[in-house]
Amino acid sequence: MTGTWLITGARPLGGDPADVLVSGEAVAEIGPGLDAPGSQRLDADGLILLPGLVDLHTHLREPGREDAETVASGTAAAALGGYTTVHAMANTEPVADTAGVVEQVWRLGRQAGRCDVQPVGAVTAGLEGSRLAELGAMADSAARVRVFSDDGQCVHDAVLMRRALEYVRAFGGVIAQHAQEPRLTSGAQVNEGEISGRLGLAGWPAVAEEAIVARDCLLAAHVGSALHVCHVSTSGSVEIIRWAKAKGWQVTAEVTPHHLLLTEALAGGYDPVFKVNPPLRTAEDVQALRAGLADGTIDCVATDHAPHPLEDKETEWQAAAFGMTGLETALRVVHEALVQPGLLDWAGVADRMSARPAAIGRLSGHGRVAPGEPASLVLYDPSPREAVDPASHASKSRNTPFAGMVLPGRVVATFLRGRPTVLDGKLAW
Ligand SMILES: [Zn+2]
């Protein structure tokens, strides 16, 4: 289905309407009144044109939990959400801690074909936090791993964290930390505060995140290496990262769509669809996260798409799994939380959801809509306001906290290197 496409009337980065000629895998030309006889045409009047989105934090669950998600279903969900690259987290079964497993995940992504899959390698063998995984072998593998994370677990041993930062410095890699001091969060279920007290659930204090963020910023500075902070959830973490960046240290950070829109109050109904790690926080935290993303302290939005089968979520709160799906709603949530209030324009969305995550992932060929660049694109209609319908999702799992919530916008089309993966809001093939 590659060939030549003429996309007419779209608004690149929300600017003035233009036509975009896609030839083969690349954008050939952008301008008014383009003509290309024989090309396939896509009427994009009123649609926003953005570079294909890049997610630094996706759980695809394969190998091992194909009942929750597969590379094929997860990349279909990604395409429907406007993504052209996802980073697949390492907490699979087996864990992605060797060249063999990361190459398997990378190949499954190539076979699925709807979205590039860039594997994340584990920092420690088996995510057990006791010895480093084969970081160099994963970096040298066909998957060319540059981002390493024990996500789901915190690399809480300061010596191991230091060694990991030192190791990846040699090849320009980055350690993505799930910042959660384990002793301070033993048994924790919801944000520590008035709500945890009222619900009678063990509290998850902000300091459990902030203490690790602060320590790791200092470690990254000490060894001169790159730290990425996963799913920042508290105003204190934003302040620490702002301070580290002001020092000129190599620290980047992400925030999830759910932490940009939802608060701990939703836990009040004991519905485990709102159970997530880190937990939903206060309205003040949400405001600080939005401001941090808007001013660039937080570099990017990352979904932490965490699919779970029904039986793992529809149970009592304490027994339910942590996590929410997010690929198919992320752009709409960012529209609602950042664009509608005027905190980000569409160029800012392109930066925070495509260019910057690609840069953190050490990927080229992402984040720009320009002649000569790969035609990995998303066309987004900002005008509708509709309830989120999980039944329409391609993810194998239905644990979206946004079900039934009225959100703006709709992803109309996604192109991966010139080939449409989504047309008219549906999978193109
Ligand atoms: Zn995590």
Side-chain angles (χ1 to χ4, degrees), residues 13 18 32 40 55 73 91 107 199 294 306 382 402:
L13 309 187
Q40 299 169 87
D55 194 15
S73 66
N91 63 339
R107 285 208 185 85
L199 299 178
F402 306 110

Side-chain angles (χ1 to χ4, degrees), residues 57 151-152 178 231:
H57 195 143
D151 183 62
H178 170 118
H231 42 53

Side-chain angles (χ1 to χ4, degrees), residues 57 59 89 91 149-154 177-180 230-231 254 277-278 304:
H57 195 143
H59 296 278
M89 276 298 173
N91 63 339
S149 182
D150 273 5
D151 183 62
Q153 305 289 327
C154 180
Q177 175 70 292
H178 170 118
Q180 179 190 354
C230 294
H231 42 53
E254 70 190 31
N277 177 349
D304 196 6

Side-chain angles (χ1 to χ4, degrees), residues 67-327:
D67 57 327
E69 198 77 286
T70 62
V71 171
S73 66
T75 51
L80 286 169
Y83 285 89
T84 51
T85 297
V86 295
H87 287 74
M89 276 298 173
N91 63 339
T92 47
E93 301 168 18
V95 171
D97 58 1
T98 63
V101 179
V102 294
E103 286 187 346
Q104 178 192 357
V105 172
W106 178 73
R107 285 208 185 85
L108 286 167
R110 304 243 302 185
Q111 283 163 19
R114 286 194 174 98
C115 175
D116 289 347
V117 174
Q118 184 57 51
V120 173
V123 176
T124 70
L127 307 179
E128 287 172 355
S130 52
R131 64 185 172 85
L132 287 187
E134 299 171 11
L135 308 185
M138 289 188 273
D140 292 341
S141 74
R144 290 182 51 80
V145 175
R146 290 296 178 272
V147 182
F148 296 87
S149 182
D150 273 5
D151 183 62
Q153 305 289 327
C154 180
V155 182
H156 61 87
D157 182 312
V159 174
L160 263 181
M161 188 62 185
R162 174 187 178 157
R163 291 215 182 100
L165 286 163
E166 286 171 340
Y167 199 101
V168 301
R169 187 181 53 195
F171 53 84
V174 58
I175 303 296
Q177 175 70 292
H178 170 118
Q180 179 190 354
E181 209 294 315
R183 298 262 296 146
L184 288 170
T185 52
S186 176
Q189 296 288 321
V190 292
N191 183 42
E192 180 177 294
E194 186 261 324
I195 297 237
S196 64
R198 183 153 55 78
L199 299 178
L201 293 170
W204 190 307
V207 67
E209 174 174 309
E210 293 155 3
I212 296 290
V213 173
R215 182 202 74 177
D216 288 355
C217 287
L218 294 165
L219 278 175
H222 184 63
V223 307
S225 188
L227 169 73
H228 178 72
V229 184
C230 294
H231 42 53
V232 170
S233 73
T234 77
S235 62
S237 294
V238 177
E239 281 186 54
I240 294 162
I241 292 160
R242 190 173 282 130
W243 167 76
K245 286 193 163 186
K247 295 274 196 185
W249 299 343
Q250 295 177 66
V251 175
T252 56
E254 70 190 31
V255 60
T256 72
H258 45 272
H259 289 110
L260 288 168
L261 193 63
L262 309 178
T263 71
E264 60 173 357
L266 290 163
Y270 289 103
D271 182 346
V273 79
F274 299 112
K275 180 173 175 179
V276 68
N277 177 349
L280 299 177
R281 303 286 192 180
T282 67
E284 291 71 32
D285 291 311
V286 170
Q287 292 309 316
L289 294 167
R290 290 181 181 189
L293 184 66
D295 72 18
T297 301
I298 299 174
D299 297 81
C300 64
V301 176
T303 66
D304 196 6
H305 177 80
H308 290 290
L310 271 184
E311 62 270 25
D312 290 352
K313 284 301 268 187
E314 295 198 345
T315 177
E316 63 173 316
W317 184 285
Q318 304 243 22
F322 289 98
M324 306 169 160
T325 60
L327 286 168

